[in-house]
Amino acid sequence: MLAAEPKTTEATSALLGVYKPAGPVFVGGEGCELIAEDGTRYLDFTSGIAVNALGYGDPDVAAAIQGALAGGVIHTSNLFRTAPAGELASWLTANSFADRVFFCNSGAEANEGAIKFARRWAGPEKREIVAFRGGFHGRTMGALAATDRPAYQEPFAPLMPGVRFAEVGDVAALEARLSWGNTAAVLIEPIQAEGGVRPVPAEFLKAARHLCDLAGALLMVDEVQTGLGRTGWLWAHEASGIRPDVMTLAKPLAGGLPMGAVLVTEAVAGALQPGDHGTTFGGGVMVASAALATCRKIGAPEFMAEVRRKGTLLADLLGALALRNPCVRAVRGAGMMWGIETDGAAGIVGRALDSGLLLCSAGADVVRLLPPLVIGDDELRRGVALLEEAIECC
Ligand code: PLP
């Protein structure tokens, strides 16, 4: 049989057209910069959408991956026991409210797991999940049902039934949505990320905790984007002093390899039986080794203190930028996660790319900044200066 003629030579043209990738083809990375095939360096304020918390080429993550490779086992499936997943679960439970961990492969998958665990825990009568206007939880059928984006949902209806929405900040409306007879869980992002980098007030998270207790429902925090140091706290919900029942993680967890996790209390874990849930790849040797190295590094108290210090510097730089640029309507966020509300976010992202700064947006009127957590002070200053040039053009 004759080999098929190659249909294309372009780097991305055979990929399904669900994304609109912009700009150069990247072939390398170093520290907080991505390197294009013509050698141009770009300062990265996206971190691969909050994934590359340790930047590019972190030696500890590389050593962990090489260590797994040297052992010869990348994957075994969950039919067999391996050490890294157990060690990682121990690290996560020792450093959070949780008692047990389920590993999966992405943020959406973690939220699917959380929804299933909540319904299993709640029993056959209590089926409802309460989510929030402006929230984003992923693109799979359950996570999408809890995501407040009609344009993402409508082409794929019917989605998972049983999701009710409430407004962030409206305690009375949340109380009205919850009931002892029907509600299994409340699912909330401590900072709504894709929805425009909108921090949820601590008082509202506390009220949600209280109302969940009254309704016999689980409080589930989606920390897929905010978790593992991004906000200057190891877990963003810690800033409000609440203890959730369930937390979902993904993006930065495995240093750039795909991994998600659902962290639960013993009470939730007790409702799950062997066979209730599963995934072939979850917690594999290589990915768990990379995650352990990532978690140990980010979780070190001196590392987190640095993220907080740099978060204050970034807040100051952005506050000053907003004062000089009246078209900036709001600056909000925490740590290394900020949103700049102004018209024409896509134009700003495009102009910044042309001048060597990678940014992303969160909706039509919010420019989102997600620098690697290891970024230096001078890089923060350089990035904000480039951002300001891109804004001044608007
Ligand atoms: N939850 C939140 C808060 C997210 O920001 C995202 C992705 O942006 C997801 C879930 C979905 O994660 P993934 O893209 O890994 O499925």
Side-chain angles (χ1 to χ4, degrees):
M1 210 164 97
L2 287 175
E5 281 290 310
K7 293 198 186 90
T8 174
T9 51
E10 235 200 87
T12 54
S13 57
L15 297 173
L16 188 66
V18 292
Y19 305 114
K20 288 189 277 182
V25 175
F26 290 112
V27 295
E30 192 181 351
C32 297
E33 291 183 335
L34 272 174
I35 304 163
E37 57 188 349
D38 68 356
T40 308
R41 286 174 170 262
Y42 292 79
L43 183 59
D44 185 5
F45 270 33
T46 70
S47 301
I49 319 184
V51 169
N52 302 319
L54 299 175
Y56 300 96
D58 179 79
D60 296 316
V61 174
I65 292 172
Q66 276 152 7
L69 277 177
V73 181
I74 294 173
H75 165 85
T76 58
S77 88
N78 291 299
L79 292 174
F80 308 109
R81 293 193 300 163
T82 52
E87 278 179 60
L88 177 61
S90 297
W91 190 94
L92 289 167
T93 54
N95 288 281
S96 73
F97 68 92
D99 302 303
R100 302 288 178 121
V101 184
F102 173 82
F103 291 118
C104 54
N105 312 288
S106 70
E109 225 186 293
N111 286 325
E112 293 292 328
I115 291 167
K116 283 183 70 178
F117 298 168
R119 285 186 168 174
R120 189 70 161 122
W121 170 85
E125 305 302 326
K126 287 160 73 88
R127 302 276 88 186
E128 282 180 6
I129 307 294
V130 175
F132 290 89
R133 294 285 167 219
F136 182 95
H137 301 290
R139 309 290 198 125
T140 50
M141 288 303 200
L144 186 58
T147 289
D148 182 32
R149 293 281 184 98
Y152 291 176
Q153 294 179 325
E154 278 159 12
F156 308 106
L159 305 174
M160 180 191 82
V163 177
R164 306 186 74 193
F165 284 93
E167 287 291 337
V168 169
D170 188 340
V171 176
L174 179 59
E175 189 170 10
R177 291 283 175 285
L178 296 179
S179 74
W180 183 270
N182 297 317
T183 314
V186 167
L187 177 61
I188 190 163
E189 296 163 85
I191 297 180
Q192 291 190 324
E194 302 296 315
V197 193
R198 293 173 199 280
V200 172
E203 290 314 313
F204 187 72
L205 283 173
K206 285 183 191 156
R209 172 71 279 174
H210 179 61
L211 293 175
C212 282
D213 290 341
L214 292 180
L218 299 178
L219 179 61
M220 311 204 293
V221 288
D222 178 344
E223 295 236 21
V224 165
Q225 192 152 157
T226 55
L228 206 59
R230 172 65 45 196
T231 65
W233 295 82
L234 190 56
W235 319 117
H237 69 265
E238 291 174 331
S240 65
I242 59 151
R243 275 176 79 86
D245 303 293
V246 176
M247 173 166 70
T248 54
L249 301 176
K251 290 178 179 286
L253 186 55
L257 295 180
M259 182 177 229
V262 190
L263 279 66
V264 300
T265 58
E266 199 63 60
V268 178
L272 275 298
Q273 310 294 326
D276 272 351
H277 194 50
T279 173
T280 300
F281 287 114
V285 173
M286 179 185 283
V287 75
S289 301
L292 198 52
T294 306
C295 287
R296 283 183 176 144
K297 197 155 188 173
I298 294 176
E302 54 281 13
F303 187 100
M304 287 310 308
E306 259 301 273
V307 177
R308 284 197 204 197
R309 184 192 65 75
K310 290 183 291 191
T312 306
L313 170 63
L314 185 51
D316 289 347
L317 291 169
L318 294 174
L321 175 150
L323 285 177
R324 289 189 296 269
N325 293 275
C327 64
V328 172
R329 293 191 291 276
V331 170
R332 48 181 184 253
M336 291 294 126
M337 178 176 191
W338 289 87
I340 319 288
E341 192 174 310
T342 180
D343 290 334
I348 294 168
V349 170
R351 286 190 292 277
L353 175 71
D354 292 341
S355 60
L357 175 69
L358 303 179
L359 295 170
C360 56
S361 56
D365 59 359
V366 177
V367 176
R368 187 168 29 152
L369 276 54
L370 298 164
L373 304 186
V374 293
I375 197 159
D377 293 9
D378 287 346
E379 288 173 315
L380 284 175
R381 291 192 188 93
R382 179 155 63 95
V384 173
L386 290 169
L387 167 67
E388 186 159 8
E389 280 173 27
I391 288 174
E392 277 174 351
C393 305
C394 67

